[in-house]
Every structure is written in C-alpha cells, then in structure tokens.
Amino acid sequence: MIRRFLAVAVVALAFAGPAMAATAAAPDLKITTLDGKPFDLAAQHGKWVVVNYWATWCVPCIKEMPDISAFVKNHKNVTAIGLAFEDTDAKEIRAFLAKHPVVYPIAQVDVMDPPKAFEPPKGLPTTYLIAPDGTVAKRFVGPVTEQSLGEAISKGK
C-alpha cells in the first residue's frame, strides 16, 4: 500500500514539474485592464514586475494591496499588474477598487481559462515577481509585503 502511494506521488511530481517549468520561463502576458488599456508584460522589459492574482473576497489579498501599491509607488524600477481571479461582473470589481484603490492597473481573468503564461493559482493571493530580463524571479503563495518584495528583488540582482 505504501509503495503504491509512493509510486503515485512520484508520478504526480513528474507531471507537476513541467507545469512549474512552463511558469519559470519568460512568461508572455497580454491582457486588457479594467480601464480598457492593454498591458503587455514584454513591454515592461527592464523593470521588475509584480504580477498579483487576487480576489475581492480574499482577506489576505485585500490586506496586501496597500503594500503592493506602496512598493510600486516608492520604486521607480517596479511596476505591477493585479489579476482579479474571480467569476463576477467587472462592475463589482470596479466598485471594490473605488473603496480599495491601488496605483497599478487591474485586469479580470477568467477562472475557467486563466492566462496560459502562469500556472493557475492554487491559492490566493499568488504573486509572481518578474525580473527585468522577463523571467520569473520568485513565486509567492500567500500575502506579500513591501519587505518581502524588497528582499526578493535584492536577492534577484
């Protein structure tokens, strides 16, 4: 019984590896923000980019939004994109953002067909830190802070 469990676990890990490898490459994300503007991750080349999957119902997500905003505002070489990962009307997300404003653009993603550039989040919030060369420098599962983003960037240089 234990051998069978271990064999299944090894097979599962073998299949999990390629999914992470796809995310670890230089992701290609082109999306339209809630304000109708295009966001192209490739156009951010030369900057650090925070790609943050979040939802309006996610308490840790709401808590980290001011930290991400402050970090982007205080670092000229950093930008961010928020990806609202929920099945709701865009009007509701805009109303939420009116109460919880951020300094970075927000786009809504389809939970049934999320962007192929990243592994679908297994929990929220999930944040990818993209290095200036366009590769994934770090993936965070759980909330980020100004400090954790700063530490990740200082290690990624």
Side-chain angles (χ1 to χ4, degrees):
M1 183 69 156
I2 292 175
R3 283 187 182 165
R4 181 180 170 130
F5 171 77
L6 289 174
V8 169
V10 167
V11 170
L13 287 174
F15 284 109
M20 284 305 297
T23 299
D28 180 32
L29 176 67
K30 292 180 183 178
I31 196 160
T32 302
T33 63
L34 288 176
D35 61 3
K37 295 179 182 173
F39 180 90
D40 183 355
L41 185 58
Q44 309 306 315
H45 194 80
K47 295 182 181 179
W48 289 92
V49 183
V50 177
V51 179
N52 177 248
Y53 281 89
W54 67 282
T56 59
W57 47 263
C58 169
V59 174
C61 300
I62 297 165
K63 186 176 183 213
E64 77 177 352
M65 291 171 85
D67 276 274
I68 296 171
S69 277
F71 193 77
V72 169
K73 191 175 182 180
N74 294 325
H75 295 84
K76 301 291 184 218
N77 65 332
V78 178
T79 190
I81 180 76
L83 302 177
F85 190 71
E86 59 185 286
D87 187 18
T88 190
D89 190 75
K91 189 184 325 181
E92 292 178 32
I93 298 171
R94 286 186 192 95
F96 173 86
L97 291 169
K99 295 177 185 174
H100 305 276
V102 294
V103 299
Y104 50 92
I106 301 291
Q108 183 175 11
V109 297
D110 185 341
V111 297
M112 300 308 286
D113 188 23
K116 306 291 185 255
F118 299 95
E119 179 181 353
K122 291 181 174 54
L124 293 175
T126 294
T127 303
Y128 292 89
L129 180 62
I130 309 301
D133 67 359
T135 60
V136 175
K138 184 165 178 70
R139 181 178 69 132
F140 300 86
V141 177
V144 296
T145 63
E146 285 186 83
Q147 181 179 348
S148 64
L149 290 170
E151 288 171 0
I153 285 176
S154 68
K155 289 178 182 175
K157 288 185 177 176

